Amino acid sequence: MLATFPAATPKKQKQTKPETMRALVFRGPNQIGLEQVAIPRPGPGEAIIRVTLTTICGTDLHILKGEYPVKPGLVIGHEPVGLIHEMGVGLSGYAIGDRVLVGAITPCGQCTYCLSGEWSQCGGPIGGWKFGNTINGAQAEYLLVPNAQANLAKIPDDLTDEQVVLLADIASTGISAAESGEVQIGDTVAVFAQGPIGLCATAGAKLKGAGFIIAVESDPVRAAMAKRMGADVVVDHSKTDAVEEIRRMTSGKGVDVAIEALGTQATFESALRVLRAGGTLSSLGVYSGKLSVPFEPFAAGLGNHKIVTTLCPGGKERMRRLMELVRYGRLDLRPLLTHRFALDRIAEAYKLFGERRDGVIKVAILP
Ligand SMILES: [Zn+2]
Ligand SMILES: [Zn+2]
């Protein structure tokens, strides 16, 4: 057998990698636009991914309007799928070019909160949410992933980007409502509001084995989607008193678990009013201003009710588990991706999504 000689080392070619990228930058309330910014470089334990698919979240709309403050100059967005482009030292088990999903929440995996199981509260209140909040986000061509070893979830070859992108945030959040609410097999569950997260909460209730799922929604497109995601009935709160209707459907008893997926006093209160004694109110909504608990449905504090809240669970193990649901046919979120836009047209995508036109539920953004 002939000895093989190492191939002659090619002359080191001058790298022609681009140094800047397009990214959606927040400058102030209602001042947002694509800009040319430097491509990030990874420090130890960090990775850069080339984003191949992302989307816009309701939270981004709050940021755009100035309702959730972030610092001017920040790239926003927190739902990335991409290819590993560059890795800092300290990562193992990954290679350049690996296709990965990264959760909206990127826990460090090492602080007191993470090691106590509170991944999304990494480092302190809401601390796990970094992308497009405290560090640059995903509505860009490239993205720096912190604590990459804990957060890069490899995508199985048999899954497409579109099949997994919504797992980063809305599915993880929505499904978590059913998990935190500890939905039991055969439970009756009511889900208030069928926006993207509420629809995923409906899917979560079904995955957890609920016997009867009641969705509350007035928008006909979303009501139809709720059925597709697992709702048995949809109550239109614009035509009927949803609380009375749900009480009637449950023979006056109320539901085992009520999920609030909007973040208003009215829906929170309705969720409490349909709860059975000892039931759980699982709250996902983001509230602003004062939220009060009415005395009577709260049984003066003697009803053994549980009220639980959850911020989107993140980390690569969470993403892996969610991808397993998709892979084995238990969860299909593609119908929620109703529109597609190139990154260059992201302003149009924001407008459509913000105005809820054309039956939009989620938009796919392709950098
Ligand atoms: Zn989000
Ligand atoms: Zn942590």
Side-chain angles (χ1 to χ4, degrees):
M1 202 174 156
L2 287 169
T4 49
F5 292 94
T9 329
K11 264 194 183 157
K12 212 172 182 185
Q13 289 193 338
K14 205 170 179 222
Q15 291 223 332
T16 51
K17 276 186 184 167
E19 282 164 5
T20 63
M21 63 172 185
R22 286 163 301 140
L24 190 72
V25 179
F26 173 83
R27 290 286 167 202
N30 298 309
Q31 293 171 48
I32 200 166
L34 276 185
E35 291 183 17
Q36 206 67 33
V37 303
I39 294 176
R41 298 297 309 276
E46 297 172 342
I48 307 300
I49 64 168
R50 182 168 70 74
V51 180
T52 52
L53 187 63
T54 186
T55 172
I56 302 173
C57 177
T59 308
D60 299 326
L61 295 176
H62 290 301
I63 292 173
L64 171 65
K65 291 181 203 156
E67 293 164 359
Y68 182 90
V70 299
K71 64 177 192 297
L74 192 78
V75 178
I76 64 171
H78 51 258
E79 302 165 88
V81 172
L83 302 169
I84 298 179
H85 172 74
E86 197 177 356
M87 289 187 286
V89 295
L91 298 190
S92 62
Y94 295 102
I96 302 297
D98 279 353
R99 206 158 62 96
V100 291
L101 166 68
V102 186
I105 302 295
T106 47
C108 75
Q110 311 196 21
C111 70
T112 307
Y113 294 90
C114 285
L115 294 173
S116 306
E118 295 293 344
W119 303 89
S120 52
Q121 310 299 328
C122 172
I126 326 177
W129 176 31
K130 296 166 187 158
F131 288 142
N133 181 25
T134 54
I135 64 171
N136 282 335
Q139 287 163 11
E141 290 179 274
Y142 296 87
L143 171 72
L144 183 147
V145 180
N147 302 112
Q149 190 71 37
N151 288 294
L152 297 173
K154 286 194 214 176
I155 302 172
D157 289 340
D158 50 356
L159 293 179
T160 64
D161 288 4
E162 290 206 353
Q163 280 177 292
V164 300
V165 67
L166 300 181
L167 304 175
D169 182 6
I170 64 160
S172 190
T173 303
I175 293 170
S176 78
E179 295 169 282
S180 299
E182 297 185 353
V183 171
Q184 306 291 309
I185 290 170
D187 268 355
T188 294
V189 179
V191 185
F192 286 83
Q194 295 293 295
I197 289 188
L199 286 165
C200 290
T202 298
K206 188 177 179 198
L207 284 163
K208 289 285 284 175
F212 184 50
I213 302 171
I214 307 162
V216 182
E217 177 60 56
S218 61
D219 177 314
V221 173
R222 293 176 178 209
M225 195 62 78
K227 289 238 171 115
R228 237 172 129 171
M229 291 291 135
D232 295 286
V233 292
V234 182
V235 174
D236 181 348
H237 59 92
S238 70
K239 295 200 176 116
T240 177
D241 182 324
V243 172
E244 260 176 38
E245 186 65 12
I246 293 170
R247 288 234 154 245
R248 191 191 60 75
M249 284 177 185
T250 54
S251 312
K253 180 170 83 81
V255 302
D256 301 295
V257 179
I259 295 172
E260 198 287 341
L262 191 63
T264 66
Q265 175 72 38
T267 43
F268 178 86
E269 226 176 287
S270 296
L272 193 59
R273 287 183 191 281
V274 299
L275 215 52
R276 71 160 162 82
T280 300
L281 194 170
S282 183
S283 172
L284 289 180
V286 181
Y287 305 91
S288 51
K290 199 172 160 188
L291 181 69
S292 58
V293 177
F295 169 87
E296 165 259 323
F298 195 51
L302 303 173
N304 288 14
H305 297 120
K306 285 193 273 300
I307 298 179
V308 295
T309 65
T310 321
L311 171 63
C312 178
K316 69 179 177 187
E317 174 59 8
R318 174 69 171 177
M319 293 302 116
R320 186 193 69 78
R321 286 169 179 271
L322 294 173
M323 285 193 282
E324 292 292 278
L325 293 175
V326 176
R327 202 174 173 194
Y328 295 107
R330 287 180 170 76
L331 181 67
D332 184 4
L333 301 169
R334 284 172 298 181
L336 304 187
L337 277 176
T338 49
H339 295 72
R340 282 155 193 82
F341 291 89
L343 181 62
D344 287 331
R345 291 175 55 212
I346 194 167
E348 278 172 64
Y350 262 88
K351 206 164 159 13
L352 177 92
F353 184 64
E355 293 170 1
R356 282 213 215 161
R357 274 188 287 115
D358 297 343
V360 65
I361 295 180
K362 287 288 274 188
V363 293
I365 305 291
L366 296 117

